[in-house]
Amino acid sequence: MPDATTPASDDILRVEDLKVHFPVMQGVVIQKQVATVKAVDGISFTLKRGETLGLVGESGCGKSTTGLAVLRMLPPTEGRIVFEGEDIAGHDEERMRGIRKRMQMVYQDPYGSLNPRMRVRDIVGEPLEVHGLGDDRRALRERVSALIAMVGLLPDMADRYPHEFSGGQRQRIGIARAMALEPSLIICDEAVSALDVSIQAQVVNLFMELQQRLGLTYIFIAHDLAVVRHISDRIAVMYLGKIVEIATRDELYRDPLHPYTQALLAAIPIPDPELEATRPQQIISGEVPSALRPPPGCRFHPRCPHAMDVCKTTEPPLKGRPGGRAVACHLHP
Ligand code: SF4
């Protein structure tokens, strides 16, 4: 398993000081900017080929915005996104066209992202057609059949419509579609969060099988640490637009350093009801503050049980530690 440091040689993706800010406009005839939402506010991480990075945090922390910015479906405000050696942060649509084949997204809601009026065969084959790879109809048909088989669906399912499938099967269709162009990086945005726990495990196993077989690299976005545990090599925890802790999976679960990571871990239910009833509760109080007006100092300080005076005024930097992990907290200078 790779450590949390950032060796450059086999990096497939390097994100440096990425910011995604949105202007808040006011006025009917003449609009002027009255504020800025700093959805992602200066994050850096790297990803090695074949690795899975879990990106975790509560809703509104900027994890999905990060995914969309990496795919350049949202324009970054600042920073570098170096994908397969090329900084794509400033690329226009024309230059992104070829690169998009190599980066794909799998969404949370497979039903919402699949056209209900298209047969599965056409849904899976559409990216090939869009990229001009569908002219040889026989080859297209064979490729689509192979993709459908690869995600564990039966051949006769190719001619059915999305509403005829269960949630887990629909997610398999979404995965087959994402694989059509043989991408090297897949961003899974809450890709299993809406599924029942037993189905979640099957779909996570499918992601892992495909990763082994095809050498894929994943960013696996989720709002809770239970979902990413099985699949991630490293995990980055985000809070209000910042990464607050990044570590290998085993380190993070064994010895979480940031109070927010500790609280997220404490929120995972233990399957044994007796143990669950007796373990100490560590609930994070309050809501995530608005990214429009993040608290000064450490952004987590209004909710942190360990907050000190310095936390209210001075933002802790994300500091590397021996072993390659990094944490942003005054308790770990
Ligand atoms: Fe808590 Fe202070 Fe650490 Fe922030 S810097 S997480 S407020 S102890």
Side-chain angles (χ1 to χ4, degrees), residues 258-260 298-302 304-308 310-312 314 316 328-332:
H258 197 283
Y260 181 57
C298 171
R299 294 175 180 206
F300 188 56
H301 87 254
C304 178
H306 310 290
M308 306 166 279
V310 64
C311 306
K312 296 175 189 161
T314 309
C329 174
H330 292 304
L331 292 172
H332 304 282

Side-chain angles (χ1 to χ4, degrees), residues 316-327:
L318 184 68
K319 269 204 184 149
R321 302 171 66 79
R325 65 191 304 184
V327 61

Side-chain angles (χ1 to χ4, degrees), residues 83-102:
F83 174 64
E84 295 187 329
E86 186 178 352
D87 184 0
I88 60 169
H91 278 15
D92 57 20
E93 271 306 301
E94 180 67 27
R95 290 181 78 187
M96 280 307 297
R97 221 180 120 73
I99 291 166
R100 287 237 167 78
K101 281 196 236 170
R102 312 198 311 263

